[in-house]
Amino acid sequence: MTTTPVSPSLITTLPGLYYTDPEIFRQEQEHLFESMWFCAVRSADLATPGAFRTVQVGRENVLITRTRKGVLRAHLNICRHRGARLCTEESGEVRRNIQCPYHAWTYDLDGRLIAAPNLVKMPDVDRDAHGLHKVALREWLGYAWVCLADEPPSFEETVMGAAVERLGDPAAIEQYGTQDLALGKRITYDVKANWKLIVENFMECYHCATIHPELTEVLPEFADGYAAQYYVGHGAEFGEGVKGFTVDGSAGFAKLPRVTEDQDRRYYAITVKPTVFVNLVPDHVILHRMFPLAADRTVVECDWLYAPEVVESGADVSRSVELFHRVNAQDFEACERTQPAMASRAYRDGGVLVPNEHHIGMFHEWLLGKLRHTNDLGDDHAGPVH
Ligand code: FES
Ligand code: FE
């Protein structure tokens, strides 16, 4: 293979290995998904005490429950006795306590060991010390974010900070009141692609004119291929005749009560690294959570969130759902089309980023730093931020 010299307009991407290698994926599990805050579950999905959801976070399975007091708790889904997985279902409800199906050690919803066969004959056993392994949990935007690190990084800086960095104003995301919205629709996508291809695709709009006809009708500036959404504070403006963020530009719903005039008729996109995208439009919020399961497989749960009265009234949300569902399907198809090439000799040294995509180079720099890989991709790799 000959190496193509890179011109100043083009900077290199990561080599194909980064999208296929199980060892690099393991390092990402360790240094990203198990070390950073990971958006695990929508809080309202666990509505009643005893409701649980199990979520794969890196190499660990985490059990999230709502306690009798109504708070959410996260623990490793592993019995302290001999390690049986406690809950094998993805979601469900336990009656009062969590009982291991192997030898019946029993934990309350706060994770404390409360009963076990013959436990009374072992008075020296400290029930707190043999409770479930706790996992840090924070709630924001109506979602439970968990962190497996012994010393979690600052939630304010690493999670909430992404919205501030993108919108330029700490109050801006609050205007949407996302935590008070109701779920209008959830679609789960099983994408046969590396999670980074999905992030990179979300970060650029060079592809919008080619693959997103409906989106570029609603947001004409996206047709220019410029990732305008990555200018600090800028939201892409709806086209002139467009009435709402819907598949045909027809009217949506009343704008959310605290959305400001500046935010009206605009679309804002936020990437909360590593696995969350937040999309803000005047009358709803679309939130993507990625669950990277293998180097070449990522499950994406996408929630469409509306004012509670919209959902309660049974209003037809299908036109707004359809717009971003099509965008998702178009994007994920592109990612799946790209994934096989990552293992090809054609991509051994990676591909290239055009100026409209140079900010993706910053994502690559960030990733290499987290994995503690030295940057041998060349000094031209770090592109300017748009
Ligand atoms: Fe759970 Fe024995 S492994 S009670
Ligand atoms: Fe796209």
Side-chain angles (χ1 to χ4, degrees):
M1 295 284 295
T2 52
T3 309
T4 313
V6 176
S7 60
S9 297
L10 302 176
I11 60 173
T12 54
T13 68
L14 295 170
L17 192 69
Y18 276 80
Y19 304 84
T20 59
D21 184 28
E23 169 55 20
I24 290 181
F25 184 71
R26 190 206 61 73
Q27 292 173 20
E28 290 173 342
Q29 290 178 313
E30 181 182 346
H31 296 295
L32 301 177
F33 315 134
E34 297 168 20
S35 297
M36 301 182 66
W37 288 98
F38 188 94
C39 189
V41 63
R42 186 162 181 270
S43 305
D45 288 349
L46 305 180
T48 51
F52 72 83
R53 168 111 190 228
T54 56
V55 176
Q56 192 66 26
V57 181
R59 295 162 296 179
E60 299 285 4
N61 197 264
V62 176
L63 172 63
I64 303 162
T65 50
R66 189 168 296 279
T67 70
R68 297 282 144 212
K69 287 190 178 136
V71 298
L72 292 178
R73 292 266 185 260
H75 299 97
L76 293 185
N77 187 13
I78 290 175
C79 181
R80 290 300 303 277
H81 174 223
R82 299 241 315 275
R85 181 168 284 203
L86 296 164
C87 296
T88 50
E89 304 288 310
E90 198 173 88
S91 62
E93 202 158 322
V94 294
R95 285 221 185 103
R96 282 208 74 75
N97 306 306
I98 301 162
Q99 187 175 67
C100 178
Y102 196 177
H103 315 88
W105 277 35
T106 304
Y107 307 88
D108 68 16
L109 294 168
D110 286 298
R112 186 169 182 264
L113 178 65
I114 52 170
N118 305 328
L119 188 61
V120 284
K121 294 184 189 147
M122 300 177 270
D124 56 316
V125 172
D126 180 331
R127 296 176 182 211
D128 285 316
H130 292 85
L132 302 178
H133 280 292
K134 274 199 179 359
V135 175
L137 184 149
R138 287 282 301 266
E139 286 181 83
W140 188 54
L141 304 181
Y143 287 80
W145 305 64
V146 298
C147 184
L148 289 162
D150 292 335
E151 290 182 27
S154 160
F155 190 85
E156 286 69 20
E157 282 171 27
T158 61
V159 178
M160 298 164 83
V164 179
E165 196 179 304
R166 166 69 189 89
L167 302 176
D169 173 5
I173 196 166
E174 300 301 327
Q175 311 300 343
Y176 293 82
T178 311
Q179 68 285 350
D180 301 321
L181 301 182
L183 184 68
K185 182 76 176 174
R186 169 173 296 162
I187 301 179
T188 303
Y189 305 85
D190 197 335
V191 187
K192 307 285 182 295
N194 185 273
W195 67 278
K196 296 189 293 300
L197 290 180
I198 299 174
V199 173
E200 292 161 10
N201 172 80
F202 190 77
M203 290 180 79
E204 53 96 354
C205 212
Y206 192 42
H207 67 271
C208 290
T210 331
I211 70 170
H212 295 319
E214 302 87 357
L215 184 66
T216 49
E217 275 293 315
V218 174
L219 305 174
E221 65 187 78
F222 274 16
D224 296 340
Y226 223 74
Q229 72 265 38
Y230 277 90
Y231 283 110
V232 173
H234 178 77
E237 198 168 4
F238 291 7
E240 226 168 90
V242 169
K243 295 198 176 71
F245 197 72
T246 57
V247 72
D248 53 3
S250 59
F253 303 102
K255 77 176 172 69
L256 297 166
R258 286 187 288 125
V259 163
T260 64
E261 284 305 310
D262 288 351
Q263 293 170 323
D264 200 6
R265 296 185 57 75
R266 285 182 186 274
Y267 162 85
Y268 297 86
I270 304 164
T271 304
V272 186
K273 292 192 291 282
T275 53
V276 175
F277 309 141
V278 186
N279 307 268
L280 306 167
V281 288
D283 64 336
H284 62 285
V285 171
I286 304 159
L287 195 140
H288 296 79
R289 275 170 294 148
M290 287 193 286
F291 297 89
L293 298 183
D296 58 358
R297 183 175 171 216
T298 309
V299 167
V300 185
E301 270 190 28
C302 184
D303 290 347
W304 282 259
L305 307 163
Y306 299 86
E309 56 274 20
V310 167
V311 176
E312 280 159 21
S313 72
D316 180 12
V317 297
S318 63
R319 284 198 310 275
S320 56
V321 169
E322 185 63 18
L323 174 56
F324 226 89
H325 170 56
R326 286 196 196 177
V327 170
N328 285 339
Q330 291 154 351
D331 281 333
F332 300 153
E333 189 192 340
C335 294
E336 290 187 340
R337 180 183 286 260
T338 309
Q339 180 67 34
M342 300 297 114
S344 163
R345 69 195 70 193
Y347 217 75
R348 192 177 50 205
D349 298 324
V352 291
L353 300 169
V354 301
N356 289 4
E357 304 169 303
H358 279 189
H359 56 286
I360 293 172
M362 299 299 285
F363 169 61
H364 295 156
E365 290 295 325
W366 172 87
L367 181 96
L368 295 171
K370 284 280 180 197
L371 300 185
R372 301 174 180 100
H373 290 192
T374 52
N375 179 3
D376 53 5
L377 302 171
D379 285 337
D380 59 350
H381 188 71
V385 190
H386 293 285

